[in-house]
Amino acid sequence: MRALVVTAVGAESDSVLAGLTPHPDSPGPEPRTLPGGYLITRRDLPGIAFDVLVGGVGPAAAAAGTATALALAENPYGLVVGAGIGGGFVPAAPVGSLVVADAIVAADLGAQTPDGFVDVASLGFGRSVHLPPAELAARAAEATGALLAPVLTVSTVTGTADGAAALAARHPMAGAEAMEGFGVAEAAAAHGLPVLEIRAVSNAVGPRDRAAWRIGDALTALAEGFRVLGPVLANWGERHEQHRGQR
Ligand SMILES: O=C(O)c1cccc(C(=O)CC[C@H]2O[C@@H](n3cnc4c(=O)[nH]cnc43)[C@H](O)[C@@H]2O)c1
Protein backbone atom coordinates (compact mmCIF):
# COMPACT_ATOMS: atom_id res chain seq x y z
CA MET A 1 0.00 0.00 0.00
CA ARG A 2 0.98 3.62 -0.47
CA ALA A 3 0.04 6.22 2.11
CA LEU A 4 0.13 9.99 1.75
CA VAL A 5 1.03 11.78 5.01
CA VAL A 6 0.17 15.49 5.01
CA THR A 7 1.87 17.91 7.40
CA ALA A 8 1.62 21.69 7.51
CA VAL A 9 5.29 22.66 7.84
CA GLY A 10 8.75 21.21 7.26
CA ALA A 11 9.51 20.65 10.95
CA GLU A 12 6.50 18.32 11.19
CA SER A 13 7.43 16.51 7.99
CA ASP A 14 10.99 16.05 9.33
CA SER A 15 9.60 14.44 12.50
CA VAL A 16 7.32 12.12 10.56
CA LEU A 17 10.24 11.12 8.30
CA ALA A 18 12.50 10.54 11.33
CA GLY A 19 9.91 8.11 12.68
CA LEU A 20 9.58 6.37 9.33
CA THR A 21 13.34 6.02 8.73
CA PRO A 22 14.54 2.77 10.32
CA HIS A 23 18.18 3.32 9.23
CA PRO A 24 19.18 6.97 9.76
CA ASP A 25 22.46 6.29 7.88
CA SER A 26 20.52 5.52 4.68
CA PRO A 27 17.52 7.81 4.90
CA GLY A 28 16.24 7.33 1.34
CA PRO A 29 15.39 9.68 -1.50
CA GLU A 30 15.59 13.45 -1.18
CA PRO A 31 12.37 15.49 -1.35
CA ARG A 32 10.78 16.25 -4.72
CA THR A 33 8.79 19.39 -5.50
CA LEU A 34 5.28 19.07 -6.89
CA PRO A 35 3.61 21.77 -8.99
CA GLY A 36 2.53 24.46 -6.55
CA GLY A 37 5.85 24.15 -4.72
CA TYR A 38 4.79 21.33 -2.38
CA LEU A 39 7.71 19.29 -1.00
CA ILE A 40 7.09 15.54 -0.92
CA THR A 41 9.48 12.89 0.41
CA ARG A 42 9.22 9.13 0.00
CA ARG A 43 10.05 6.49 2.61
CA ASP A 44 9.68 2.75 2.03
CA LEU A 45 8.97 0.41 4.92
CA PRO A 46 8.22 -3.32 4.64
CA GLY A 47 4.73 -3.60 3.18
CA ILE A 48 4.11 0.13 2.81
CA ALA A 49 5.44 3.21 1.01
CA PHE A 50 4.92 6.65 2.51
CA ASP A 51 4.93 9.99 0.74
CA VAL A 52 5.26 12.79 3.30
CA LEU A 53 3.93 16.14 2.01
CA VAL A 54 4.39 19.67 3.33
CA GLY A 55 0.99 21.12 2.49
CA GLY A 56 0.91 24.46 4.31
CA VAL A 57 -0.90 25.89 7.33
CA GLY A 58 -4.69 25.98 7.55
CA PRO A 59 -7.53 23.92 6.08
CA ALA A 60 -7.54 25.57 2.64
CA ALA A 61 -3.79 25.11 2.10
CA ALA A 62 -4.00 21.55 3.39
CA ALA A 63 -6.87 20.70 1.04
CA ALA A 64 -5.07 22.24 -1.95
CA GLY A 65 -1.79 20.46 -1.18
CA THR A 66 -3.44 17.11 -0.53
CA ALA A 67 -5.59 17.33 -3.65
CA THR A 68 -2.53 18.21 -5.73
CA ALA A 69 -0.55 15.22 -4.45
CA LEU A 70 -3.50 12.86 -4.92
CA ALA A 71 -4.26 14.10 -8.44
CA LEU A 72 -0.63 13.81 -9.56
CA ALA A 73 0.09 10.42 -7.95
CA GLU A 74 1.82 8.02 -10.35
CA ASN A 75 0.59 5.07 -8.30
CA PRO A 76 -2.66 5.12 -6.35
CA TYR A 77 -2.72 5.79 -2.63
CA GLY A 78 -4.73 3.61 -0.25
CA LEU A 79 -4.74 5.96 2.73
CA VAL A 80 -4.27 9.64 3.59
CA VAL A 81 -2.95 10.68 7.01
CA GLY A 82 -3.08 14.22 8.40
CA ALA A 83 -0.27 14.69 10.93
CA GLY A 84 1.34 17.41 12.97
CA ILE A 85 1.28 19.32 16.20
CA GLY A 86 -1.88 20.66 17.80
CA GLY A 87 -3.50 22.10 20.86
CA GLY A 88 -4.73 19.61 23.46
CA PHE A 89 -7.89 19.80 25.52
CA VAL A 90 -6.55 19.32 29.04
CA PRO A 91 -6.55 17.26 31.14
CA ALA A 92 -7.44 14.53 28.58
CA ALA A 93 -4.62 15.47 26.18
CA PRO A 94 -1.63 16.99 28.00
CA VAL A 95 1.36 18.60 26.31
CA GLY A 96 3.62 15.95 24.77
CA SER A 97 0.82 13.41 24.34
CA LEU A 98 -0.67 12.10 21.10
CA VAL A 99 -4.27 12.24 19.90
CA VAL A 100 -5.64 10.02 17.12
CA ALA A 101 -8.91 11.26 15.62
CA ASP A 102 -12.00 9.11 15.77
CA ALA A 103 -13.70 12.05 14.06
CA ILE A 104 -12.26 14.98 12.10
CA VAL A 105 -14.52 17.94 12.77
CA ALA A 106 -14.80 21.31 10.98
CA ALA A 107 -15.35 23.18 14.23
CA ASP A 108 -15.65 26.76 12.96
CA LEU A 109 -17.15 26.20 9.50
CA GLY A 110 -20.71 27.44 9.68
CA ALA A 111 -22.68 30.44 10.90
CA GLN A 112 -22.96 32.33 14.16
CA THR A 113 -26.64 32.89 15.03
CA PRO A 114 -28.33 34.54 18.01
CA ASP A 115 -28.86 30.98 19.26
CA GLY A 116 -25.22 30.00 18.84
CA PHE A 117 -23.02 28.36 16.21
CA VAL A 118 -24.65 26.32 13.42
CA ASP A 119 -22.30 24.01 11.53
CA VAL A 120 -22.14 23.88 7.76
CA ALA A 121 -23.87 20.49 7.50
CA SER A 122 -26.83 21.76 9.54
CA LEU A 123 -26.98 24.75 7.19
CA GLY A 124 -27.46 22.27 4.37
CA PHE A 125 -24.03 22.57 2.74
CA GLY A 126 -21.68 19.62 2.56
CA ARG A 127 -20.10 17.96 5.58
CA SER A 128 -18.89 18.98 9.01
CA VAL A 129 -17.33 15.67 10.04
CA HIS A 130 -15.19 12.98 8.41
CA LEU A 131 -14.87 9.61 10.13
CA PRO A 132 -11.61 7.66 9.86
CA PRO A 133 -11.99 3.85 9.60
CA ALA A 134 -12.91 2.97 13.19
CA GLU A 135 -10.73 -0.13 13.48
CA LEU A 136 -7.69 1.62 12.01
CA ALA A 137 -8.06 4.62 14.31
CA ALA A 138 -8.46 2.37 17.35
CA ARG A 139 -5.38 0.31 16.44
CA ALA A 140 -3.33 3.42 15.75
CA ALA A 141 -4.31 4.93 19.10
CA GLU A 142 -3.63 1.73 21.01
CA ALA A 143 -0.21 1.17 19.42
CA THR A 144 0.97 4.76 19.93
CA GLY A 145 -0.58 5.24 23.37
CA ALA A 146 -2.66 8.09 21.97
CA LEU A 147 -6.00 9.37 23.16
CA LEU A 148 -8.70 8.33 20.67
CA ALA A 149 -10.99 11.34 20.41
CA PRO A 150 -12.41 13.90 17.98
CA VAL A 151 -9.84 16.32 16.57
CA LEU A 152 -11.25 19.75 15.71
CA THR A 153 -10.10 21.75 12.70
CA VAL A 154 -10.16 25.53 13.21
CA SER A 155 -9.02 28.40 11.01
CA THR A 156 -8.05 30.49 14.03
CA VAL A 157 -6.00 29.12 16.93
CA THR A 158 -8.12 29.31 20.07
CA GLY A 159 -6.48 31.88 22.35
CA THR A 160 -8.96 32.67 25.12
CA ALA A 161 -10.58 30.78 27.98
CA ASP A 162 -14.02 31.73 26.63
CA GLY A 163 -13.17 30.39 23.18
CA ALA A 164 -11.88 27.13 24.62
CA ALA A 165 -14.98 26.78 26.81
CA ALA A 166 -17.31 27.41 23.85
CA LEU A 167 -15.53 24.79 21.74
CA ALA A 168 -15.53 22.27 24.59
CA ALA A 169 -19.24 22.87 25.17
CA ARG A 170 -19.99 22.13 21.50
CA HIS A 171 -17.55 19.18 21.39
CA PRO A 172 -17.30 17.76 24.91
CA MET A 173 -15.32 14.70 23.77
CA ALA A 174 -12.74 16.68 21.74
CA GLY A 175 -9.12 15.72 22.35
CA ALA A 176 -7.27 18.30 20.24
CA GLU A 177 -7.58 21.17 17.82
CA ALA A 178 -5.39 21.92 14.81
CA MET A 179 -5.78 23.74 11.51
CA GLU A 180 -5.47 21.20 8.70
CA GLY A 181 -7.26 17.90 9.37
CA PHE A 182 -10.61 18.72 7.80
CA GLY A 183 -8.95 20.08 4.65
CA VAL A 184 -6.89 16.90 4.29
CA ALA A 185 -10.03 14.81 4.88
CA GLU A 186 -12.08 16.73 2.28
CA ALA A 187 -9.42 16.09 -0.37
CA ALA A 188 -9.14 12.41 0.60
CA ALA A 189 -12.93 12.02 0.41
CA ALA A 190 -12.99 13.64 -3.02
CA HIS A 191 -10.65 10.84 -4.14
CA GLY A 192 -12.65 8.14 -2.33
CA LEU A 193 -9.81 7.46 0.13
CA PRO A 194 -9.89 6.72 3.87
CA VAL A 195 -8.30 9.28 6.16
CA LEU A 196 -6.59 9.24 9.54
CA GLU A 197 -5.38 12.16 11.68
CA ILE A 198 -2.75 12.16 14.41
CA ARG A 199 -1.71 15.17 16.47
CA ALA A 200 1.11 15.63 18.96
CA VAL A 201 0.12 18.17 21.60
CA SER A 202 2.38 21.24 21.75
CA ASN A 203 0.14 23.47 23.87
CA ALA A 204 -3.09 23.47 25.80
CA VAL A 205 -6.20 24.85 24.08
CA GLY A 206 -6.97 28.03 26.03
CA PRO A 207 -5.58 31.47 26.85
CA ARG A 208 -2.69 32.32 24.53
CA ASP A 209 0.66 31.70 26.20
CA ARG A 210 3.41 31.26 23.62
CA ALA A 211 6.02 30.77 26.36
CA ALA A 212 4.20 27.59 27.39
CA TRP A 213 4.32 26.02 23.92
CA ARG A 214 6.46 22.88 23.80
CA ILE A 215 6.91 22.43 20.06
CA GLY A 216 10.13 20.42 20.46
CA ASP A 217 8.47 17.93 22.80
CA ALA A 218 5.53 17.60 20.43
CA LEU A 219 7.79 17.01 17.42
CA THR A 220 9.64 14.30 19.35
CA ALA A 221 6.32 12.67 20.26
CA LEU A 222 5.24 12.86 16.61
CA ALA A 223 8.40 11.06 15.47
CA GLU A 224 7.95 8.37 18.11
CA GLY A 225 4.31 8.01 17.10
CA PHE A 226 5.26 7.40 13.47
CA ARG A 227 7.96 4.90 14.46
CA VAL A 228 5.13 2.77 15.88
CA LEU A 229 2.50 3.76 13.34
CA GLY A 230 4.46 2.66 10.25
CA PRO A 231 4.06 -1.09 10.87
CA VAL A 232 0.45 -0.64 12.08
CA LEU A 233 -0.52 1.07 8.82
CA ALA A 234 1.37 -1.55 6.78
CA ASN A 235 -0.55 -4.32 8.54
CA TRP A 236 -3.88 -2.53 8.03
CA GLY A 237 -3.05 -1.95 4.36
CA GLU A 238 -2.20 -5.60 3.75
CA ARG A 239 -5.44 -6.81 5.34
CA HIS A 240 -7.44 -4.13 3.53
CA GLU A 241 -5.98 -5.11 0.15
CA GLN A 242 -6.57 -8.84 0.83
CA HIS A 243 -10.16 -8.04 1.77
CA ARG A 244 -10.65 -6.02 -1.44
CA GLY A 245 -9.09 -8.89 -3.47
CA GLN A 246 -11.59 -11.38 -2.03
CA ARG A 247 -14.60 -9.34 -3.12
O1 LIG B 1 -0.08 32.43 18.61
C1 LIG B 1 0.45 32.89 17.61
O2 LIG B 1 0.90 34.02 17.53
C2 LIG B 1 0.60 32.04 16.40
C3 LIG B 1 1.05 32.61 15.23
C4 LIG B 1 1.20 31.84 14.12
C5 LIG B 1 0.92 30.50 14.14
C6 LIG B 1 0.48 29.94 15.30
C7 LIG B 1 0.17 28.56 15.38
O3 LIG B 1 -0.48 28.10 16.28
C8 LIG B 1 0.66 27.61 14.34
C9 LIG B 1 -0.42 26.68 14.01
C10 LIG B 1 0.10 25.38 13.45
O4 LIG B 1 0.30 24.45 14.48
C11 LIG B 1 -0.87 23.66 14.67
N1 LIG B 1 -1.34 23.99 16.01
C12 LIG B 1 -0.58 23.86 17.10
N2 LIG B 1 -1.25 24.19 18.19
C13 LIG B 1 -2.47 24.57 17.79
C14 LIG B 1 -3.62 25.04 18.51
O5 LIG B 1 -3.66 25.16 19.73
N3 LIG B 1 -4.71 25.32 17.76
C15 LIG B 1 -4.71 25.19 16.41
N4 LIG B 1 -3.64 24.75 15.73
C16 LIG B 1 -2.54 24.45 16.40
C17 LIG B 1 -1.80 23.98 13.51
O6 LIG B 1 -2.30 22.80 12.93
C18 LIG B 1 -0.95 24.78 12.55
O7 LIG B 1 -0.34 23.95 11.60
C19 LIG B 1 0.30 30.70 16.45
Side-chain angles (χ1 to χ4, degrees), residues 47-85:
I48 189 162
F50 289 95
D51 281 332
V52 182
L53 179 78
V54 181
V57 173
T66 307
T68 299
L70 293 176
L72 297 178
E74 286 164 11
N75 298 296
Y77 291 108
L79 177 68
V80 180
V81 183
I85 64 171

Side-chain angles (χ1 to χ4, degrees), residues 56-171:
V57 173
T66 307
T68 299
L70 293 176
L72 297 178
E74 286 164 11
N75 298 296
Y77 291 108
L79 177 68
V80 180
V81 183
I85 64 171
F89 286 90
V90 290
V95 169
S97 69
L98 293 171
V99 180
V100 168
D102 60 7
I104 300 170
V105 182
D108 58 8
L109 186 63
Q112 293 286 0
T113 78
D115 298 323
F117 177 81
V118 180
D119 68 40
V120 78
S122 304
L123 292 172
F125 308 117
R127 266 178 288 209
S128 299
V129 179
H130 287 277
L131 296 178
E135 188 208 338
L136 174 62
R139 280 173 183 263
E142 190 184 359
T144 57
L147 175 70
L148 182 64
V151 174
L152 311 183
T153 302
V154 292
S155 291
T156 304
V157 175
T158 301
T160 64
D162 284 354
L167 267 187
R170 289 210 303 274
H171 305 285

Side-chain angles (χ1 to χ4, degrees), residues 228-245:
V228 176
L229 208 51
V232 172
L233 300 185
N235 183 273
W236 180 82
E238 275 163 20
R239 287 186 300 113
H240 204 63
E241 272 162 11
Q242 272 170 12
H243 181 70
R244 271 205 313 240

